Amino acid sequence: MAHAAPTAPGRHRQTAAGGTTHLSRSALTRPLLMGLVYGVYAAFMKRQMGPVDAGNVFYGILCGAIFAACLFALARIGPRLKRELHAAAYGAFAGISFGYLYSLAGESIFKSSGISLLVGAGVAAAAFYRYYTRED
């Protein structure tokens, strides 16, 4: 008897026309929570042990909102891409976001770029492994 490899469950319910009917709660809460953490950390790094002012709070909200919007868009568009591009997109996103936070610590642009390339390559490799082993 032939055995088939298990597949990942469907991500979204689809209508007859092929569009999605709704977004799950986790599709919105994960990017929002991760954006909140990213924004708080970015505001903390920008503050550099000075007093908290309105500029720091606005900066944190802006960084968190941009991070959450990019992560939400990547989560919505990513599954439509080939697994190589999907993994590369997550790697690029992780590398850019980590490199930006690392540059806020006052490090040189070359060190920030090098470390963000390493982080992005690691995330891309891990994402590719995940997508390769769990094909839909």
Side-chain angles (χ1 to χ4, degrees):
M1 178 187 298
H3 295 283
T7 61
R11 293 186 182 113
H12 306 287
R13 285 189 282 176
Q14 294 195 354
T15 62
T20 58
T21 57
H22 76 288
L23 291 174
S24 66
R25 245 187 199 178
S26 65
L28 294 174
T29 55
R30 273 185 271 185
L32 287 176
L33 288 176
M34 291 179 75
L36 177 70
V37 170
Y38 189 85
V40 167
Y41 193 74
F44 175 75
M45 293 298 290
K46 184 74 170 171
R47 183 173 65 102
Q48 295 180 355
M49 303 309 289
V52 176
D53 58 356
N56 290 337
V57 173
F58 178 71
Y59 184 77
I61 291 170
L62 181 66
C63 285
I66 291 171
F67 182 88
C70 290
L71 189 59
F72 178 75
L74 188 58
R76 294 288 292 166
I77 295 170
R80 297 183 201 140
L81 302 173
K82 292 182 180 180
R83 63 180 171 227
E84 294 87 3
L85 290 176
H86 194 185
Y90 270 107
F93 177 70
I96 290 168
S97 59
F98 181 81
Y100 181 69
L101 285 181
Y102 195 76
S103 71
L104 285 178
E107 296 292 334
S108 70
I109 191 72
F110 295 116
K111 191 172 182 180
S112 298
S113 299
I115 289 182
S116 67
L117 280 173
L118 290 174
V119 168
V123 169
F128 178 75
Y129 177 76
R130 182 186 183 277
Y131 300 140
Y132 187 76
T133 58
R134 293 182 171 94
E135 289 192 58
D136 288 337

